[in-house]
Amino acid sequence: MAPEIKYTKIFIDNQWVDAKSGKTFDTYYPHDGSVIAKVAEGDKADIDAAVDAAKRAFHRNSEWRQLDASQRRLTLDKFAGLLARDADYLAQLESYNNGMVLTMAKMMAHSAVNFTKYFASLADKFQGNTIPADGAVFSYTLKQPVGVCGLILPWNAPMLMFICKAIPALAAGCTVVVKPAEQTPLTALALGALLAEAGVPAGVVNIVPGFGPGAGSSLTHHAKVSKISFTGSMEVGKIIQQAAGAVNLKRITLELGGKSPLVIMNDADLAAAVPYAGRAVFAMSGQVCIAASRLYVQSGIYDEFVKRAAEFAKAIKVGDPTDPTTQQGPQTDEPTMSKALGYIEKGKAEGAKLLVGGKRIGNKGYYIEPTVFADVKDNMSIATDEIFGPVQSILKFDTLEEVIDRANNTNYGLAAGIFTTNINSALQFSKYVEAGTVWVNDYMTLAPQTPFGGFKDSGLGREYGRDCLDAYLEVKTVTINLPKKI
Ligand code: ADP
């Protein structure tokens, strides 16, 4: 049964309002392409109202700014409890709007609770320093919230991305305007209602659904917004970096795409490596920024690995995301499906060997067969471009030195992995590969305690981890003149 859709309007000052233009846009169920709701389409005027509310809520005398840090922590902890209470419903809503398999959406909801608890716990733990400054002075630093933060979300893991930006921002004492992705606005709106229920004061959290060039761009250009945190494509990340410096100098955190290399050495445990490599690229229909979309396999095990990888992909059960036995659901929208199918055609045309899949499934919804290409060369489009689809590209290599250089020969640098039983190979690879996260005999494990972000064009700044609140804080130095003699 379809989950009830309770919220489709813009959320400002803890109130639900229509877009000032009166416009709405359709949001879809990726399983069959049907329209499931009409959502208020925010644009510049709505962003202006949301930012004004967030600015008021950030005033030094506001309820939020006057709250003790420990009370901020308790409020966010209460929100974590409400998330846990509604986790099943939120998972259903996420799956309904994004198409991710319900089992995955439930894991995401569980992670959302854990990440929230961790970020909440930091609300009263960040501290400045006392400094032995030169001269007859007393100097200390304060860490203070940066101001109104614009949080621009992607559609591939909407709920978790909301949590990973909004909760650290709130824990730091900021106020936020969230712009969910146009494909998946529903869970963000439901989270807004839960934050209000938890006692977050009016104006602290505002949510404006809408499109990138309208609501998104207005937010990144707004003079009263002090910080933008964005997760999405590299192309839009570059646009946002420019916009963030156009009107005022906004602080920015960017989590962009990847073309992450996963390396399988001759000495790897194949029984573990094959399914890991499969899940690393087919999970969430390949719509993951850390997808292991370049799979480098050493020559001594290449043929055997390729055979087993093909068997793994053939056995993946694709279908209705609500069926608990389904392993791969649809792509989230038609353009994403068409783009991935386009790359599959390029792979064929450029001479890669298609072993499994390669086609759309049916003509309803946005399903693609799990697809495996072998004998891929570094310069083929399927080895250079982010596909965001269920496409495994397997490349052969001979030595560790060679594969490190090939792995690094890209502008991306989000994640990397290696399967090996040799500690030296693991350490050398981890040291020299240019990536923000490296997994050894593992892939895709993320935890709230470990920093996450990209090298090179995969991003700016880090999210998660003990210091994640720093992205939402300014450091202020206070120096007090002291009498020279007492
Ligand atoms: P994808 O290519 O994976 O769909 P995008 O990077 O296009 O991802 O979108 C991610 C988020 O960025 C969405 O919320 C989208 O609306 C927003 N966005 C897109 N273009 C812009 C823009 N010019 N300015 C601000 N936000 C944008």
Side-chain angles (χ1 to χ4, degrees), residues 152-155 179-183 210-213 216-217 220 230-233 236-237 239-240 388:
I152 301 180
L153 307 183
W155 47 261
K179 209 296 280 172
E182 53 271 34
Q183 295 88 341
F211 291 88
S217 179
T220 57
F230 166 79
T231 296
S233 61
V236 174
I239 294 171
I240 285 179
F388 242 55

Side-chain angles (χ1 to χ4, degrees), residues 171-194:
C174 295
T175 60
V176 303
V177 176
V178 182
K179 209 296 280 172
E182 53 271 34
Q183 295 88 341
T184 54
L186 298 181
T187 43
L189 296 172
L191 295 181
L194 288 189

